[in-house]
Amino acid sequence: MLFRLYCRLVQGVFRMVMPLLPWREPELTQDPGCVTTLPGTIANAGVSRVLVVTDRGISALGILDPLLAALGEAGIFYRVYDGTSANPTVDNVEEALTLYRQERCHGLLAAGGGSPIDCAKGVGIRAVRPRRSLASLKGVLKVRRPLPPLFIVPTTAGTGSEVTLAAVISSPERHEKCVIMDPALIPHYAVLDGEVTTGLPADLTATTGMDALTHAIEAFIGGSNTPRTEEDAVTATALIFEYLPRAFENGLDLEARQQMLRASYLAGRAFTRAYVGNVHAIAHTLGGFYNVPHGLANAIILPHVLEYYGDSITARLTELSLRARIAPDGAAFLERIRSMNRQLGISEFVGGVDPADVPLMARRAHRESNPLYPVPRIFSVEDFRTLYRIITNDFSDRTSPAPRSDR
């Protein structure tokens, strides 16, 4: 009981402090084909040497070739780092930082999903905090210095990293993810171009889209909302249910691609102010221990955690569902989430988890979530252990009494 009171006190203090932080939003360009305007934006920002951070999948697809050619034509020097892992690591950041320094770059261009974007943010952090390790900056409001100009071209519609204050960097040696949150990490420019995402495979379209839905839902049901974050979450939820199945079925549906980018941006804008919750705390441990892609982890975990919350979210889930015009109540909304997962070919459970790892994973998820995340119900370590068993289908009888609310 005392621990819960302590968590709620910390969350209350943060709610009061949040409006005083130096918030900003990226300078946003959004329309099919608008990526061709980015070199002019970079030049106008006074950047003449830029490090392009991406991954080998994006490089192999040639998605960036027109943009790189346009950078050259505009007289902007660039170098490409495409070694970003699916869950960007400390080593990825250090490799990219070495190239950034060697080439005397003074701007960063991230192109890809959340991994290259987070890697670029990590490079920016290390560039302005050269004497601090990323692990030492884990947590909230520890960067506190402006990053170099950061330009973002998302090639997936899911993470919302182009508008968030967060970066998540993995430490494989520790089987851990460092979550760094600071308004300094909000990118300066973002380009939402649906044409860039038309080559995204169906499975990535599905999992990244469900990642965005997780952001919208966790922002809405948490305790740090504002009228604007609620509206962003509602709009994002409605867009995802309408357009994600279309983008999944037909990757060349440009309207669906553009609208999913908009949904991802709005969901990101919502959770960067209202925070995420226990779904993310669990997903980060699965990524840290087993390299489970973040969007896939969120997609699988989301309905299990929502069900486990029980009565503590019934009213809010119903409100979100009604405002987004998805279903008549929270229970029907939860079933719509499960149904969409099935439609998108997403598994109900996470496989391959060693039960021996669960106690440590549960402790780390508990430590990440508390005291900061303003979740509807504060989970104990035992709650997290139970959820890992549910999520991994580790016992035949998955039924359990609905947990009580601690509001």
Side-chain angles (χ1 to χ4, degrees):
M1 181 60 71
L2 288 177
F3 180 73
R4 289 173 180 159
L5 289 173
Y6 162 70
C7 291
R8 295 307 188 198
L9 176 62
V10 170
Q11 293 159 21
V13 169
F14 265 88
R15 276 196 296 274
M16 291 187 292
V17 170
M18 289 286 276
L20 306 178
L21 296 179
W23 293 101
R24 67 168 189 275
E25 289 183 32
E27 183 177 308
L28 185 63
T29 306
Q30 51 180 337
D31 273 315
C34 66
V35 73
T36 58
T37 67
L38 185 56
T41 301
I42 295 172
N44 290 338
V47 175
S48 59
R49 302 179 72 87
V50 66
L51 179 69
V52 179
V53 181
T54 187
D55 59 49
R56 290 190 178 90
I58 298 296
S59 291
L61 289 171
I63 292 173
L64 297 184
D65 290 351
L67 174 58
L68 298 179
L71 288 173
E73 292 171 2
I76 297 171
F77 174 90
Y78 68 87
R79 281 291 180 267
V80 176
Y81 174 77
D82 65 358
T84 311
S85 304
N87 288 298
T89 66
V90 172
D91 287 345
N92 290 157
V93 171
E94 294 302 317
E95 290 169 0
L97 177 67
T98 297
L99 190 58
Y100 178 87
R101 288 170 171 165
Q102 285 177 346
E103 301 294 352
R104 306 189 311 281
C105 297
H106 51 102
L108 291 157
L109 193 168
S115 298
I117 298 172
D118 281 359
C119 184
K121 289 181 179 181
V123 174
I125 293 168
R126 290 281 290 116
V128 300
R129 284 288 200 176
R131 297 182 181 179
R132 296 286 299 274
S133 69
L134 291 173
S136 72
L137 296 169
K138 179 180 178 181
V140 182
L141 303 178
K142 294 182 180 179
V143 180
R144 298 196 302 272
R145 291 183 185 174
L147 267 62
L150 182 56
F151 308 86
I152 307 295
V153 181
T155 63
T156 67
T159 69
S161 298
E162 67 275 7
V163 69
T164 70
L165 83 173
V168 183
I169 309 296
S170 294
S171 175
E173 305 81 28
R174 294 172 52 84
H175 301 294
E176 189 172 22
K177 285 192 171 187
C178 297
V179 182
I180 303 170
M181 293 181 285
D182 193 297
L185 304 189
I186 299 172
H188 303 91
Y189 304 88
V191 174
L192 308 184
D193 184 343
E195 289 184 357
V196 175
T197 71
T198 55
L200 193 67
D203 59 337
L204 289 178
T205 298
T207 56
T208 54
M210 292 303 293
D211 189 16
L213 182 64
T214 303
H215 295 154
I217 292 174
E218 288 208 295
F220 189 90
I221 66 175
S224 290
N225 273 294
T226 68
R228 186 183 190 189
T229 62
E230 285 196 2
E231 191 58 36
D232 283 346
V234 169
T235 303
T237 299
L239 288 171
I240 291 164
F241 272 93
E242 180 175 359
Y243 289 104
L244 179 54
R246 281 177 51 177
F248 176 76
E249 294 294 337
N250 177 13
L252 298 178
D253 186 333
L254 191 53
E255 180 187 17
R257 292 295 193 182
Q258 194 67 43
Q259 291 296 339
M260 280 302 300
L261 281 172
R262 179 177 171 231
S264 176
Y265 183 89
L266 292 174
R269 192 167 70 180
F271 91 76
T272 205
R273 290 293 297 266
Y275 288 125
V276 287
N278 289 319
V279 176
H280 274 72
I282 297 171
H284 288 152
T285 63
L286 289 171
F289 273 73
Y290 293 99
N291 210 31
V292 179
H294 182 67
L296 175 61
N298 274 345
I300 295 173
I301 296 164
L302 177 63
H304 295 298
V305 170
L306 294 180
E307 181 180 29
Y308 195 82
Y309 275 134
D311 291 342
S312 66
I313 63 165
T314 299
R316 288 295 282 168
L317 210 58
T318 296
E319 181 183 356
L320 173 58
S321 183
L322 289 172
R323 287 174 63 177
R325 300 182 179 181
I326 305 300
D329 56 47
F333 182 48
L334 183 54
E335 183 50 43
R336 283 292 307 274
I337 295 171
R338 289 195 173 102
S339 175
M340 190 153 68
N341 266 348
R342 290 192 294 269
Q343 181 181 356
L344 300 174
I346 294 171
S347 172
E348 187 178 0
F349 305 108
V350 177
V353 174
D354 185 345
D357 288 333
V358 167
L360 178 56
M361 293 167 69
R363 291 196 298 272
R364 287 187 176 176
H366 182 265
R367 187 168 67 241
E368 176 182 328
S369 182
N370 302 305
L372 190 59
Y373 290 170
V375 292
R377 175 177 180 255
I378 294 171
F379 289 166
S380 66
V381 174
E382 187 56 39
D383 285 322
F384 279 110
R385 291 180 69 167
T386 299
L387 274 163
Y388 281 107
R389 294 180 69 195
I390 293 171
I391 291 160
T392 60
N393 199 25
D394 189 37
F395 53 132
S396 56
D397 180 10
R398 294 175 53 247
T399 60
S400 59
R404 65 177 179 80
S405 170
D406 73 335
R407 277 190 177 276

